[in-house]
Amino acid sequence: DAGVTQSPTHLIKTRGQQVTLRCSPISGHKSVSWYQQVLGQGPQFIFQYYEKEERGRGNFPDRFSARQFPNYSSELNVNALLLGDSALYLCASSRGRGTDTQYFGPGTRLTVL
Amino acid sequence: AQKITQTQPGMFVQEKEAVTLDCTYDTSDQSYGLFWYKQPSSGEMIFLIYQGSYDEQNATEGRYSLNFQKARKSANLVISASQLGDSAMYFCAMSLKADRGSTLGRLYFGRGTQLTVWP
């Protein structure tokens, strides 16, 4: 079975621009979560979606938004990019229950110049 | 508040030897899960092993075992017979389970331990 897929792999943007990152979960998984990992740190939770509804949001500004589609794929949008948004963005999928294992995609590496 | 602490920024181990990576956690919840992930330089986070808070036996997955000491709130990862391919960053993480089955799948991560396996 295919794992979690993310696109694009790498992205370079300039300050003030907007970016959309995409994620397709493992078949049969209904929950998608997004994490931001800056260099030298562990991933930080941004959003969780389950059955197309937002189930959790981390401590990120409103410039960050996300949605989940009927096929359970997801998009993460970041507006008005800042230099500090440069990071590896990881998407994870799970069946959805609280302590279900989350399986991660390869990530999208975003560089903001 | 939930917190994961990994006190070892870096660890070195010789090939074929065993190594223990430390992890302590802090939560007032009774129902939670503990995870270990491996992150090679490519960036992908690879799931290794899971331990539920009510599991009485320590989890094992091949060469990986989790030394779970609930009273001490520790969940150390033991890698037996280290291989060169084990060189990577290792993250300990925790998730909580809300009452009545509602989903709280957020993972709380530690800062990670960089493991280097030498020949």
PDB file of all heavy atoms in Angstrom, chain B residues 91-117:
ATOM      1  N   PHE B  91      13.268  10.606  17.667  1.00  0.00           N
ATOM      2  CA  PHE B  91      12.343  11.444  18.419  1.00  0.00           C
ATOM      3  C   PHE B  91      11.397  10.584  19.251  1.00  0.00           C
ATOM      4  O   PHE B  91      10.834   9.601  18.764  1.00  0.00           O
ATOM      5  CB  PHE B  91      11.506  12.318  17.482  1.00  0.00           C
ATOM      6  CG  PHE B  91      12.272  13.429  16.832  1.00  0.00           C
ATOM      7  CD1 PHE B  91      12.805  13.276  15.568  1.00  0.00           C
ATOM      8  CD2 PHE B  91      12.468  14.630  17.505  1.00  0.00           C
ATOM      9  CE1 PHE B  91      13.515  14.305  14.962  1.00  0.00           C
ATOM     10  CE2 PHE B  91      13.172  15.665  16.914  1.00  0.00           C
ATOM     11  CZ  PHE B  91      13.704  15.497  15.642  1.00  0.00           C
ATOM     12  N   CYS B  92      11.228  11.000  20.491  1.00  0.00           N
ATOM     13  CA  CYS B  92      10.205  10.447  21.366  1.00  0.00           C
ATOM     14  C   CYS B  92       8.988  11.358  21.279  1.00  0.00           C
ATOM     15  O   CYS B  92       9.133  12.595  21.191  1.00  0.00           O
ATOM     16  CB  CYS B  92      10.745  10.392  22.792  1.00  0.00           C
ATOM     17  SG  CYS B  92       9.595   9.734  24.015  1.00  0.00           S
ATOM     18  N   ALA B  93       7.792  10.774  21.280  1.00  0.00           N
ATOM     19  CA  ALA B  93       6.580  11.582  21.148  1.00  0.00           C
ATOM     20  C   ALA B  93       5.462  10.974  21.984  1.00  0.00           C
ATOM     21  O   ALA B  93       5.480   9.783  22.307  1.00  0.00           O
ATOM     22  CB  ALA B  93       6.158  11.682  19.684  1.00  0.00           C
ATOM     23  N   MET B  94       4.487  11.806  22.307  1.00  0.00           N
ATOM     24  CA  MET B  94       3.356  11.363  23.115  1.00  0.00           C
ATOM     25  C   MET B  94       2.071  11.913  22.537  1.00  0.00           C
ATOM     26  O   MET B  94       2.034  13.039  22.021  1.00  0.00           O
ATOM     27  CB  MET B  94       3.520  11.877  24.554  1.00  0.00           C
ATOM     28  CG  MET B  94       2.364  11.575  25.477  1.00  0.00           C
ATOM     29  SD  MET B  94       2.709  12.056  27.186  1.00  0.00           S
ATOM     30  CE  MET B  94       2.868  13.829  27.006  1.00  0.00           C
ATOM     31  N   SER B  95       1.014  11.108  22.611  1.00  0.00           N
ATOM     32  CA  SER B  95      -0.305  11.618  22.270  1.00  0.00           C
ATOM     33  C   SER B  95      -1.261  11.261  23.397  1.00  0.00           C
ATOM     34  O   SER B  95      -1.026  10.320  24.146  1.00  0.00           O
ATOM     35  CB  SER B  95      -0.811  11.049  20.944  1.00  0.00           C
ATOM     36  OG  SER B  95      -1.070   9.678  21.057  1.00  0.00           O
ATOM     37  N   LEU B  96      -2.323  12.027  23.500  1.00  0.00           N
ATOM     38  CA  LEU B  96      -3.316  11.818  24.544  1.00  0.00           C
ATOM     39  C   LEU B  96      -4.607  11.294  23.931  1.00  0.00           C
ATOM     40  O   LEU B  96      -4.882  11.532  22.771  1.00  0.00           O
ATOM     41  CB  LEU B  96      -3.606  13.138  25.268  1.00  0.00           C
ATOM     42  CG  LEU B  96      -2.408  13.879  25.840  1.00  0.00           C
ATOM     43  CD1 LEU B  96      -2.869  15.162  26.505  1.00  0.00           C
ATOM     44  CD2 LEU B  96      -1.656  12.998  26.826  1.00  0.00           C
ATOM     45  N   LYS B  97      -5.361  10.617  24.752  1.00  0.00           N
ATOM     46  CA  LYS B  97      -6.662  10.131  24.305  1.00  0.00           C
ATOM     47  C   LYS B  97      -7.713  10.716  25.216  1.00  0.00           C
ATOM     48  O   LYS B  97      -7.657  10.528  26.428  1.00  0.00           O
ATOM     49  CB  LYS B  97      -6.726   8.616  24.353  1.00  0.00           C
ATOM     50  CG  LYS B  97      -8.015   8.038  23.788  1.00  0.00           C
ATOM     51  CD  LYS B  97      -7.939   6.534  23.722  1.00  0.00           C
ATOM     52  CE  LYS B  97      -9.201   5.974  23.093  1.00  0.00           C
ATOM     53  NZ  LYS B  97      -9.147   4.517  22.974  1.00  0.00           N
ATOM     54  N   ALA B  98      -8.633  11.432  24.627  1.00  0.00           N
ATOM     55  CA  ALA B  98      -9.660  12.074  25.427  1.00  0.00           C
ATOM     56  C   ALA B  98     -10.666  11.041  25.901  1.00  0.00           C
ATOM     57  O   ALA B  98     -10.745   9.927  25.402  1.00  0.00           O
ATOM     58  CB  ALA B  98     -10.366  13.153  24.616  1.00  0.00           C
ATOM     59  N   ASP B  99     -11.452  11.422  26.856  1.00  0.00           N
ATOM     60  CA  ASP B  99     -12.517  10.544  27.334  1.00  0.00           C
ATOM     61  C   ASP B  99     -13.560  10.308  26.250  1.00  0.00           C
ATOM     62  O   ASP B  99     -13.708  11.096  25.330  1.00  0.00           O
ATOM     63  CB  ASP B  99     -13.198  11.186  28.548  1.00  0.00           C
ATOM     64  CG  ASP B  99     -12.261  11.254  29.736  1.00  0.00           C
ATOM     65  OD1 ASP B  99     -11.308  10.468  29.779  1.00  0.00           O
ATOM     66  OD2 ASP B  99     -12.483  12.118  30.601  1.00  0.00           O
ATOM     67  N   ARG B 100     -14.242   9.226  26.342  1.00  0.00           N
ATOM     68  CA  ARG B 100     -15.359   8.882  25.462  1.00  0.00           C
ATOM     69  C   ARG B 100     -14.936   8.854  24.003  1.00  0.00           C
ATOM     70  O   ARG B 100     -15.714   9.145  23.110  1.00  0.00           O
ATOM     71  CB  ARG B 100     -16.535   9.839  25.672  1.00  0.00           C
ATOM     72  CG  ARG B 100     -17.188   9.669  27.037  1.00  0.00           C
ATOM     73  CD  ARG B 100     -18.345  10.653  27.205  1.00  0.00           C
ATOM     74  NE  ARG B 100     -17.876  11.993  27.466  1.00  0.00           N
ATOM     75  CZ  ARG B 100     -17.474  12.411  28.653  1.00  0.00           C
ATOM     76  NH1 ARG B 100     -17.458  11.589  29.680  1.00  0.00           N
ATOM     77  NH2 ARG B 100     -17.074  13.662  28.816  1.00  0.00           N
ATOM     78  N   GLY B 101     -13.674   8.521  23.763  1.00  0.00           N
ATOM     79  CA  GLY B 101     -13.247   8.196  22.413  1.00  0.00           C
ATOM     80  C   GLY B 101     -13.035   9.350  21.457  1.00  0.00           C
ATOM     81  O   GLY B 101     -12.731   9.137  20.292  1.00  0.00           O
ATOM     82  N   SER B 102     -13.174  10.573  21.909  1.00  0.00           N
ATOM     83  CA  SER B 102     -12.964  11.666  20.954  1.00  0.00           C
ATOM     84  C   SER B 102     -11.488  11.728  20.585  1.00  0.00           C
ATOM     85  O   SER B 102     -10.629  11.330  21.354  1.00  0.00           O
ATOM     86  CB  SER B 102     -13.418  13.002  21.538  1.00  0.00           C
ATOM     87  OG  SER B 102     -12.658  13.338  22.664  1.00  0.00           O
ATOM     88  N   THR B 103     -11.251  12.228  19.400  1.00  0.00           N
ATOM     89  CA  THR B 103      -9.884  12.138  18.886  1.00  0.00           C
ATOM     90  C   THR B 103      -9.038  13.308  19.365  1.00  0.00           C
ATOM     91  O   THR B 103      -9.394  14.465  19.216  1.00  0.00           O
ATOM     92  CB  THR B 103      -9.885  12.129  17.360  1.00  0.00           C
ATOM     93  OG1 THR B 103     -10.529  13.299  16.883  1.00  0.00           O
ATOM     94  CG2 THR B 103     -10.620  10.905  16.852  1.00  0.00           C
ATOM     95  N   LEU B 104      -7.931  12.992  19.925  1.00  0.00           N
ATOM     96  CA  LEU B 104      -6.933  13.997  20.260  1.00  0.00           C
ATOM     97  C   LEU B 104      -5.612  13.426  19.801  1.00  0.00           C
ATOM     98  O   LEU B 104      -4.825  12.928  20.589  1.00  0.00           O
ATOM     99  CB  LEU B 104      -6.905  14.267  21.767  1.00  0.00           C
ATOM    100  CG  LEU B 104      -7.975  15.177  22.340  1.00  0.00           C
ATOM    101  CD1 LEU B 104      -7.787  15.354  23.830  1.00  0.00           C
ATOM    102  CD2 LEU B 104      -7.961  16.534  21.659  1.00  0.00           C
ATOM    103  N   GLY B 105      -5.376  13.505  18.506  1.00  0.00           N
ATOM    104  CA  GLY B 105      -4.220  12.799  17.974  1.00  0.00           C
ATOM    105  C   GLY B 105      -2.953  13.599  17.939  1.00  0.00           C
ATOM    106  O   GLY B 105      -1.937  13.142  17.450  1.00  0.00           O
ATOM    107  N   ARG B 106      -2.989  14.804  18.479  1.00  0.00           N
ATOM    108  CA  ARG B 106      -1.805  15.652  18.450  1.00  0.00           C
ATOM    109  C   ARG B 106      -0.632  14.948  19.097  1.00  0.00           C
ATOM    110  O   ARG B 106      -0.741  14.412  20.199  1.00  0.00           O
ATOM    111  CB  ARG B 106      -2.104  16.957  19.181  1.00  0.00           C
ATOM    112  CG  ARG B 106      -0.884  17.780  19.457  1.00  0.00           C
ATOM    113  CD  ARG B 106      -1.219  19.020  20.238  1.00  0.00           C
ATOM    114  NE  ARG B 106      -0.008  19.810  20.433  1.00  0.00           N
ATOM    115  CZ  ARG B 106      -0.004  21.061  20.843  1.00  0.00           C
ATOM    116  NH1 ARG B 106      -1.137  21.675  21.096  1.00  0.00           N
ATOM    117  NH2 ARG B 106       1.133  21.705  21.010  1.00  0.00           N
ATOM    118  N   LEU B 107       0.517  14.986  18.428  1.00  0.00           N
ATOM    119  CA  LEU B 107       1.748  14.444  18.972  1.00  0.00           C
ATOM    120  C   LEU B 107       2.592  15.559  19.562  1.00  0.00           C
ATOM    121  O   LEU B 107       2.765  16.613  18.954  1.00  0.00           O
ATOM    122  CB  LEU B 107       2.546  13.729  17.878  1.00  0.00           C
ATOM    123  CG  LEU B 107       2.052  12.354  17.437  1.00  0.00           C
ATOM    124  CD1 LEU B 107       2.795  11.896  16.197  1.00  0.00           C
ATOM    125  CD2 LEU B 107       2.215  11.345  18.562  1.00  0.00           C
ATOM    126  N   TYR B 108       3.100  15.285  20.767  1.00  0.00           N
ATOM    127  CA  TYR B 108       4.057  16.184  21.405  1.00  0.00           C
ATOM    128  C   TYR B 108       5.427  15.530  21.265  1.00  0.00           C
ATOM    129  O   TYR B 108       5.615  14.391  21.705  1.00  0.00           O
ATOM    130  CB  TYR B 108       3.717  16.369  22.881  1.00  0.00           C
ATOM    131  CG  TYR B 108       2.364  16.981  23.119  1.00  0.00           C
ATOM    132  CD1 TYR B 108       1.220  16.198  23.137  1.00  0.00           C
ATOM    133  CD2 TYR B 108       2.225  18.353  23.346  1.00  0.00           C
ATOM    134  CE1 TYR B 108      -0.033  16.752  23.357  1.00  0.00           C
ATOM    135  CE2 TYR B 108       0.981  18.917  23.574  1.00  0.00           C
ATOM    136  CZ  TYR B 108      -0.137  18.120  23.573  1.00  0.00           C
ATOM    137  OH  TYR B 108      -1.368  18.674  23.793  1.00  0.00           O
ATOM    138  N   PHE B 109       6.369  16.253  20.678  1.00  0.00           N
ATOM    139  CA  PHE B 109       7.693  15.713  20.396  1.00  0.00           C
ATOM    140  C   PHE B 109       8.744  16.290  21.336  1.00  0.00           C
ATOM    141  O   PHE B 109       8.655  17.443  21.771  1.00  0.00           O
ATOM    142  CB  PHE B 109       8.110  16.052  18.967  1.00  0.00           C
ATOM    143  CG  PHE B 109       7.463  15.204  17.908  1.00  0.00           C
ATOM    144  CD1 PHE B 109       6.242  15.570  17.371  1.00  0.00           C
ATOM    145  CD2 PHE B 109       8.080  14.051  17.458  1.00  0.00           C
ATOM    146  CE1 PHE B 109       5.649  14.795  16.397  1.00  0.00           C
ATOM    147  CE2 PHE B 109       7.495  13.272  16.471  1.00  0.00           C
ATOM    148  CZ  PHE B 109       6.277  13.647  15.939  1.00  0.00           C
ATOM    149  N   GLY B 110       9.780  15.485  21.570  1.00  0.00           N
ATOM    150  CA  GLY B 110      10.968  15.996  22.209  1.00  0.00           C
ATOM    151  C   GLY B 110      11.886  16.640  21.172  1.00  0.00           C
ATOM    152  O   GLY B 110      11.551  16.731  19.992  1.00  0.00           O
ATOM    153  N   ARG B 111      13.048  17.066  21.626  1.00  0.00           N
ATOM    154  CA  ARG B 111      13.997  17.738  20.729  1.00  0.00           C
ATOM    155  C   ARG B 111      14.839  16.762  19.929  1.00  0.00           C
ATOM    156  O   ARG B 111      15.555  17.166  19.012  1.00  0.00           O
ATOM    157  CB  ARG B 111      14.890  18.683  21.514  1.00  0.00           C
ATOM    158  CG  ARG B 111      14.147  19.849  22.134  1.00  0.00           C
ATOM    159  CD  ARG B 111      15.121  20.766  22.873  1.00  0.00           C
ATOM    160  NE  ARG B 111      16.052  21.406  21.945  1.00  0.00           N
ATOM    161  CZ  ARG B 111      15.859  22.588  21.384  1.00  0.00           C
ATOM    162  NH1 ARG B 111      14.751  23.264  21.635  1.00  0.00           N
ATOM    163  NH2 ARG B 111      16.765  23.104  20.570  1.00  0.00           N
ATOM    164  N   GLY B 112      14.781  15.481  20.301  1.00  0.00           N
ATOM    165  CA  GLY B 112      15.486  14.480  19.528  1.00  0.00           C
ATOM    166  C   GLY B 112      16.882  14.167  20.031  1.00  0.00           C
ATOM    167  O   GLY B 112      17.501  14.960  20.751  1.00  0.00           O
ATOM    168  N   THR B 113      17.361  12.976  19.646  1.00  0.00           N
ATOM    169  CA  THR B 113      18.725  12.528  19.927  1.00  0.00           C
ATOM    170  C   THR B 113      19.352  12.074  18.621  1.00  0.00           C
ATOM    171  O   THR B 113      18.773  11.249  17.906  1.00  0.00           O
ATOM    172  CB  THR B 113      18.734  11.358  20.929  1.00  0.00           C
ATOM    173  OG1 THR B 113      18.213  11.794  22.189  1.00  0.00           O
ATOM    174  CG2 THR B 113      20.148  10.814  21.119  1.00  0.00           C
ATOM    175  N   GLN B 114      20.497  12.640  18.304  1.00  0.00           N
ATOM    176  CA  GLN B 114      21.217  12.238  17.092  1.00  0.00           C
ATOM    177  C   GLN B 114      22.081  11.021  17.410  1.00  0.00           C
ATOM    178  O   GLN B 114      23.019  11.106  18.210  1.00  0.00           O
ATOM    179  CB  GLN B 114      22.093  13.392  16.592  1.00  0.00           C
ATOM    180  CG  GLN B 114      22.889  13.048  15.346  1.00  0.00           C
ATOM    181  CD  GLN B 114      22.020  12.883  14.115  1.00  0.00           C
ATOM    182  OE1 GLN B 114      21.136  13.684  13.831  1.00  0.00           O
ATOM    183  NE2 GLN B 114      22.278  11.824  13.358  1.00  0.00           N
ATOM    184  N   LEU B 115      21.751   9.894  16.807  1.00  0.00           N
ATOM    185  CA  LEU B 115      22.516   8.665  17.022  1.00  0.00           C
ATOM    186  C   LEU B 115      23.487   8.457  15.868  1.00  0.00           C
ATOM    187  O   LEU B 115      23.104   8.539  14.699  1.00  0.00           O
ATOM    188  CB  LEU B 115      21.573   7.463  17.121  1.00  0.00           C
ATOM    189  CG  LEU B 115      22.251   6.092  17.244  1.00  0.00           C
ATOM    190  CD1 LEU B 115      22.994   5.987  18.574  1.00  0.00           C
ATOM    191  CD2 LEU B 115      21.248   4.957  17.097  1.00  0.00           C
ATOM    192  N   THR B 116      24.723   8.192  16.224  1.00  0.00           N
ATOM    193  CA  THR B 116      25.743   7.867  15.233  1.00  0.00           C
ATOM    194  C   THR B 116      26.287   6.483  15.533  1.00  0.00           C
ATOM    195  O   THR B 116      26.740   6.220  16.651  1.00  0.00           O
ATOM    196  CB  THR B 116      26.886   8.889  15.256  1.00  0.00           C
ATOM    197  OG1 THR B 116      26.360  10.199  15.017  1.00  0.00           O
ATOM    198  CG2 THR B 116      27.922   8.557  14.188  1.00  0.00           C
ATOM    199  N   VAL B 117      26.221   5.606  14.532  1.00  0.00           N
ATOM    200  CA  VAL B 117      26.751   4.251  14.661  1.00  0.00           C
ATOM    201  C   VAL B 117      28.053   4.182  13.882  1.00  0.00           C
ATOM    202  O   VAL B 117      28.093   4.517  12.686  1.00  0.00           O
ATOM    203  CB  VAL B 117      25.752   3.208  14.120  1.00  0.00           C
ATOM    204  CG1 VAL B 117      26.303   1.807  14.285  1.00  0.00           C
ATOM    205  CG2 VAL B 117      24.407   3.350  14.830  1.00  0.00           C
TER     206      VAL B 117
END
